[in-house]
Amino acid sequence: MKELLDTDRVNFLIWRYLLESNYRETAAKLQKEWRVPQPHRQFDFAAHVNTYALVSLLNKGLIYEDFQRKFAESQKPPQDAAETAEVAPRGVFGPLKFEPELVDGEEGDEEDSELDAEADEIDNNPRKRAAELRHHHDELVSHGSPAKRQRLSNGYENGADAGAAPMEIDQRSDAANHHAYPSPLEGEQAESPLLRTEGPSRGTQVDKVRDLTRSTVFLQLGAADGAADHEAAESPLVLLCEWNPRDPLLLATAGTDALARIWTLPYRGTSPSDVDPSHVDAASRPAISIVDDDLPKNATVSSMAWSSNGDLIAIAAELGPKSRVSIWSVDGTNLHRFDGLDSPVTNLCWSPNGTLLLAICPDVSKGLMRPGTLIHISSPSFANSTSHSLDHDLRTDSLDTTWISETEFILCGGDLLVSFRCTENGIVQGREFKTGKDERFNLVEFDWRSKLVATASEKGYIDIWDEAGNRRQIAAHDGAVTSLQWQPLLGDPDCRQERLLISGGEDSNVMIYNIRSDDPLPKSIINMPPPLAVNNLSLSPDGSLIAVATHDRILVWKVGDSTIPKASWVPQPGWQSPSSSSDSEDVVPCLGWDAEGQRLVFSLENKLAVLDLRDPNPELEGTLRPDSSLPTVRASQSRAEESWPALTEHVTKSIQAYNPSGILLACGEKPV
């Protein structure tokens, strides 16, 4: 019974051959264009495919082709056979050439005869007998025929796999054997094994991946202080969390069961004794509830946004089929609110100076069978508001938005990419960018330095749009783009400076592109352990660190260094506050840096954790510790700008790197 041969099976044989031949980059490119993330696990037949299967199959095919050619010659008439006898036979790769095979026995006889002749000559000179005979024997072994040459083993006594039977093509290593396998790399000298030396090593430094578990605080999600008249549920789901853009001590959270609070989180002590072994902050943290007293206990806060100066925060709460948008100050004072918007409010976004608040929600004024989208603009300084109806179904394609000036913003979602402008007469549609069908846009980000708009799609593409509407497309990910963010920069903009755009996708990759470069390839790639999708990412205020969140861990990387993360956080089983809940890979976690780049907030379902990246032991060198003596700067330009130069000088001194279990990994010095 003949086996079936389809595209997946052919691609799998080629992919295996490329890996076995050490063509790893080519194999990765084939895997990406094939759109199969793990071929060795995805296909049922993969476990039955032997090593070197492609080469073996091709060799058998050549043998079959030889039999077919000989059979065709035997069927020719005698006169035709005599005419073609003088013509060299042709194979798949052209005219066939006779190549005599080497026989181990004959070759061994030649070496024995050479040794006997040499021994007779040495007998006439007794002084040379022992030394020269041994030397000549070693020469024949090391420089003899290829069939007898010792195989490279990279320092292992029995080779990499002593039990594996060598293939026929591996028995000859001369350049004239015309075999496509092994690759040219196999003919080079094997790398020597790493040497183990005694004593300290100078000039070598192994970076330590810091474990953030011990510096984590879990916040209670029960009723907040001062909210006795409004009892919240014991385990609400955290849907939104965001640090104040100016004050690093203020954190806002929102979610189900009427959860909407502003937390005041002072820095914890740096002594290990100050860390609660349970990692749950038993003390009641100062928190201000920013929900109205008449809000139902089962209400859901669907959107939240801080103003750029950190003085105001807006939240949108669902009241059944309608929603309420309210604006609060940082001290918990309700400054403004308006009701009547259809639920849910999917977006809240402040203008750059915090004068206008944009809200996006469904519009069912024409009936549930013809839903649209309502764009609502309000301001805490004015009593009146304005709205604009858009023919777009939010249930099919969600919308993302960004302001590009104080009065102009862009809406993005599905096949829609259009700008709007706020005027005295209301909201006026501006430029409608030229897009194709089935674009599947889902994210949009505006860069205030380069005046470029970046959009991402569920198909894995990133598009860069200039002010004239010109488009540049980048094939970034296999699958949907889940996160998109421009690198924050401190100081005045420089048109010659590179402009980095960071994206994360469902393919477990974080791509870093220099948009000012014409190179379509990314500047660097961060590969997360598959099959962990990049659910969210966040860059520190100074743009030097990037935090990547999956459904079960956080990794912190230095931008430009994708070799090893600087810090990691993996929660223990059953982590949460205050009750247990199973993790779900479909839930998108919240992740964000504080205004100084010192702490991260991470929330997933009913879990809320604050990760402190400051060094818990100031005397330990080589860790992530900004200078604590520097003054606090409560502005968009955080303390990290002043602290990182000191950190650079600090980590270049002598260090000792330990793993989380306390085992010494490496020690050494790195010159300043």
Side-chain angles (χ1 to χ4, degrees):
M1 174 174 161
K2 180 180 177 296
E3 289 187 277
L4 297 178
L5 195 64
D6 55 13
T7 303
D8 288 334
R9 295 189 176 190
V10 173
N11 289 345
F12 182 81
L13 292 177
I14 298 174
W15 178 75
R16 279 285 299 269
Y17 166 76
L18 292 174
L19 290 180
E20 294 162 355
S21 305
N22 206 20
Y23 296 112
R24 299 188 178 275
E25 293 184 3
T26 308
K29 183 174 180 60
L30 172 62
Q31 186 175 341
K32 181 177 181 180
E33 295 183 356
W34 189 13
R35 296 185 179 272
V36 178
Q38 294 180 320
H40 59 294
R41 297 180 180 177
Q42 182 167 339
F43 300 112
D44 296 335
F45 61 79
H48 305 284
V49 179
N50 296 326
T51 309
Y52 312 127
L54 178 62
V55 178
S56 176
L57 186 63
L58 291 177
N59 279 332
K60 293 178 180 178
L62 292 177
I63 294 174
Y64 176 81
E65 197 271 343
D66 180 58
F67 282 120
Q68 188 180 34
R69 182 174 57 254
K70 291 179 179 179
F71 178 78
E73 292 177 356
S74 65
Q75 300 299 317
K76 293 181 179 180
Q79 59 272 17
D80 295 341
E83 294 176 359
T84 59
E86 300 179 356
V87 181
R90 300 182 63 86
V92 178
F93 303 103
L96 299 178
K97 297 180 181 179
F98 176 72
E99 297 181 7
E101 297 183 358
L102 295 179
V103 182
D104 293 345
E106 296 178 359
E107 189 181 65
D109 294 341
E110 293 178 1
E111 290 184 8
D112 293 340
S113 62
E114 291 178 6
L115 287 175
D116 293 340
E118 184 69 15
D120 294 338
E121 181 180 353
I122 294 178
D123 284 340
N124 299 328
N125 190 349
R127 298 179 181 178
K128 298 182 179 180
R129 178 183 303 241
E132 293 190 14
L133 183 59
R134 187 181 302 109
H135 173 73
H136 189 62
H137 181 272
D138 294 340
E139 256 190 328
L140 288 176
V141 173
S142 59
H143 302 289
S145 61
K148 288 293 185 179
R149 185 173 300 166
Q150 185 179 4
R151 295 174 64 98
L152 299 176
S153 61
N154 286 333
Y156 296 96
E157 182 179 357
N158 296 322
D161 189 1
M167 295 182 58
E168 176 186 353
I169 57 177
D170 290 330
Q171 300 300 309
R172 301 179 58 191
S173 60
D174 54 297
N177 58 13
H178 305 293
H179 284 303
Y181 182 89
S183 72
L185 296 178
E186 297 292 338
E188 300 175 359
Q189 181 67 28
E191 297 181 1
S192 301
L194 296 177
L195 299 178
R196 295 184 179 181
T197 59
E198 301 294 337
S201 174
R202 298 181 62 87
T204 302
Q205 177 175 344
V206 178
D207 291 336
K208 174 186 176 184
V209 180
R210 180 181 167 190
D211 185 8
L212 300 177
T213 305
R214 294 291 298 174
S215 59
T216 302
V217 175
F218 299 108
L219 300 181
Q220 298 280 358
L221 294 178
D225 291 343
D229 297 336
H230 178 76
E231 296 180 1
E234 286 298 320
S235 57
L237 299 181
V238 181
L239 304 178
L240 306 162
C241 58
E242 186 177 349
W243 293 95
N244 187 290
R246 294 295 181 90
D247 193 336
L249 305 182
L250 299 182
L251 172 67
T253 59
T256 63
D257 300 330
L259 174 64
R261 299 180 196 160
I262 298 178
W263 304 75
T264 302
L265 304 176
Y267 290 111
R268 292 166 60 91
T270 58
S271 174
S273 60
D274 295 338
V275 180
D276 189 351
S278 64
H279 297 289
V280 178
D281 191 9
S284 178
R285 290 283 183 176
I288 302 175
S289 178
I290 51 174
V291 293
D292 296 314
D293 296 337
D294 60 343
L295 195 68
K297 293 187 294 183
N298 60 349
T300 298
V301 179
S302 59
S303 297
M304 179 180 66
W306 284 100
S307 61
S308 58
N309 57 10
D311 294 336
L312 303 175
I313 184 171
I315 63 171
E318 298 180 15
L319 302 173
K322 297 296 182 178
S323 291
R324 171 188 297 172
V325 175
S326 55
I327 301 176
W328 301 75
S329 64
V330 293
D331 59 0
T333 303
N334 192 339
L335 302 178
H336 182 72
R337 82 177 191 186
F338 51 90
D339 301 309
L341 298 180
D342 293 326
S343 294
V345 176
T346 60
N347 298 77
L348 287 177
C349 187
W350 289 93
S351 62
N353 293 333
T355 57
L356 300 177
L357 177 63
L358 167 65
I360 299 176
C361 65
D363 183 11
V364 294
S365 59
K366 298 180 181 180
L368 297 177
M369 302 303 297
R370 297 178 57 189
T373 299
L374 184 68
I375 306 172
H376 185 271
I377 299 293
S378 62
S379 173
S381 304
F382 305 97
N384 298 330
S385 60
T386 181
S387 300
H388 178 80
S389 184
L390 188 66
D391 186 14
H392 179 87
D393 189 359
L394 284 176
R395 297 175 301 180
T396 304
D397 296 306
S398 61
L399 291 179
D400 193 19
T401 183
T402 181
W403 290 86
I404 60 177
S405 70
E406 187 59 29
T407 58
E408 191 174 4
F409 58 92
I410 289 180
L411 290 184
C412 170
D415 301 334
L416 179 67
L417 185 62
V418 61
S419 66
F420 292 89
R421 187 174 62 257
C422 301
T423 65
E424 296 180 354
N425 299 325
I427 302 175
V428 180
Q429 181 174 331
R431 171 182 296 170
E432 185 172 359
F433 294 84
K434 185 178 180 180
T435 61
K437 294 183 178 180
D438 197 26
E439 293 277 9
R440 309 301 298 170
F441 292 126
N442 61 345
L443 297 172
V444 61
E445 291 287 337
F446 178 68
D447 180 30
W448 294 94
R449 296 176 179 269
S450 61
K451 306 301 181 182
L452 296 176
V453 175
T455 59
S457 71
E458 295 179 357
K459 294 183 176 181
Y461 292 98
I462 294 177
D463 294 287
I464 308 299
W465 310 78
D466 60 15
E467 295 180 286
N470 299 319
R471 178 180 186 178
R472 172 189 173 190
Q473 190 171 77
I474 302 173
H477 296 273
D478 291 332
V481 182
T482 58
S483 302
L484 187 68
Q485 187 174 351
W486 293 94
Q487 181 192 29
L489 294 177
L490 301 178
D492 297 330
D494 185 359
C495 60
R496 298 170 298 178
Q497 188 178 10
E498 65 180 7
R499 198 69 190 96
L500 299 184
L501 179 66
I502 295 89
S503 66
E506 293 181 348
D507 57 357
S508 306
N509 293 329
V510 175
M511 316 294 273
I512 303 178
Y513 290 94
N514 180 16
I515 301 304
R516 288 201 171 114
S517 173
D518 296 331
D519 190 357
L521 299 178
K523 180 181 178 180
S524 61
I525 302 176
I526 298 176
N527 301 112
M528 301 293 291
L532 299 179
V534 178
N535 291 336
N536 206 344
L537 62 83
S538 179
L539 280 90
S540 59
D542 64 347
S544 63
L545 297 175
I546 176 173
V548 182
T550 66
H551 71 279
D552 68 346
R553 72 189 61 187
I554 297 176
L555 295 177
V556 180
W557 304 77
K558 185 174 179 60
V559 175
D561 183 7
S562 59
T563 56
I564 186 172
K566 299 300 179 183
S568 66
W569 182 77
V570 179
Q572 299 299 322
W575 77 279
Q576 67 190 7
S577 176
S579 60
S580 297
S581 173
S582 60
D583 290 343
S584 174
E585 298 184 9
D586 298 331
V587 179
V588 178
C590 296
L591 182 69
W593 293 86
D594 68 359
E596 294 183 352
Q598 304 294 304
R599 293 184 292 183
L600 280 168
V601 61
F602 176 74
S603 68
L604 181 65
E605 293 185 332
N606 62 344
K607 315 170 187 71
L608 182 60
V610 176
L611 288 60
D612 196 340
L613 274 76
R614 297 176 305 152
D615 183 8
N617 186 0
E619 297 180 357
L620 178 63
E621 298 187 12
T623 55
L624 214 63
R625 185 181 72 87
D627 190 354
S628 60
S629 63
L630 296 175
T632 300
V633 181
R634 295 189 178 182
S636 58
Q637 182 171 344
S638 68
R639 187 172 61 184
E641 182 184 13
E642 303 179 13
S643 60
W644 288 120
L647 172 62
T648 305
E649 180 181 359
H650 187 72
V651 298
T652 53
K653 300 177 183 178
S654 175
I655 68 165
Q656 290 182 337
Y658 295 84
N659 66 3
S661 300
I663 301 176
L664 178 64
L665 297 178
C667 62
E669 294 181 358
K670 184 177 181 180
V672 178

